[in-house]
Amino acid sequence: MIAGPVHGRGARVSAAAAAALSLVLACWSYRVILLAPATVVPAPALHGAATVDALSVSDQRYVIGNVAINARKIVSDPTALYGPGPCFPLQRPFTLGEHMFGEGLLGALPWALSHEPIFTYNVVLVVSAWIAAMAMYALVFSWTRSALAALVAGVLFAFHPARIGDPAHPYVYGNLWTPLARLFAYRRFARERWW
């Protein structure tokens, strides 16, 4: 279904097909979590040095906790994001380090449904990859009107080994919204409208 330039209804069908395929690829990329999404996390690539590997596991635990805490704050009281955080008791600790507000926002719905940190984290990983794929799809499709080119660009952007290979640090590749920012900036300045 995704072949050549498309317009109108065909564009919507192609986008839906790309969304479905991207979601399947995101789930496949993190397939280790599918059987037990509330208890299993994808392991980061091990380096072989015991201290480096232990640090990576520790980082991942920290990230899981911080994503869950931010998701809980967003669900219960969003103003609490500006309160004590991982760098407490320093003043304004949310300005230090990796605050993971974006990941907390993506984790708000899974947290509200489950109140489970590992489940929330795993959903954030899958959804982040899916959003990255669809954001790049939208940008490239708007430039080329080719669903195939948009699909390839989305897959390359979202499922690059650097993004998928480091599940312990999802905030490092927090550029999933960058293609949409580029698309809407182009529309705003070139066409003088957002849509």
Side-chain angles (χ1 to χ4, degrees), residues 8-147:
R9 184 173 184 277
R12 288 189 293 276
V13 170
S14 294
L21 180 61
S22 296
L23 185 58
V24 167
L25 287 173
C27 289
W28 182 80
S29 296
Y30 296 111
R31 62 193 170 278
V32 68
I33 66 173
L34 293 179
L35 294 178
T39 57
V40 174
V41 295
L46 299 178
H47 300 285
T51 54
V52 173
D53 293 344
L55 181 61
S56 186
V57 169
S58 176
D59 273 1
Q60 190 168 28
R61 288 181 181 156
Y62 168 77
V63 169
I64 291 168
N66 212 22
V67 168
I69 287 168
N70 285 343
R72 179 183 51 81
K73 288 178 180 179
I74 288 169
V75 168
S76 61
D77 179 18
T79 62
L81 287 172
Y82 300 108
C87 296
F88 182 79
L90 297 174
Q91 293 290 328
R92 297 181 148 189
F94 59 87
T95 62
L96 302 171
E98 301 297 340
H99 49 68
M100 293 176 245
F101 290 158
E103 288 76 15
L105 183 61
L106 292 177
L109 181 61
W111 176 262
L113 295 174
S114 70
H115 294 282
E116 173 55 51
I118 293 175
F119 177 76
T120 300
Y121 169 78
N122 285 335
V123 170
V124 166
L125 291 177
V126 171
V127 169
S128 293
W130 181 75
I131 289 173
M134 293 313 300
M136 186 58 78
Y137 179 92
L139 176 64
V140 173
F141 185 80
S142 77
W143 283 347
T144 65
R145 305 311 290 175
S146 169

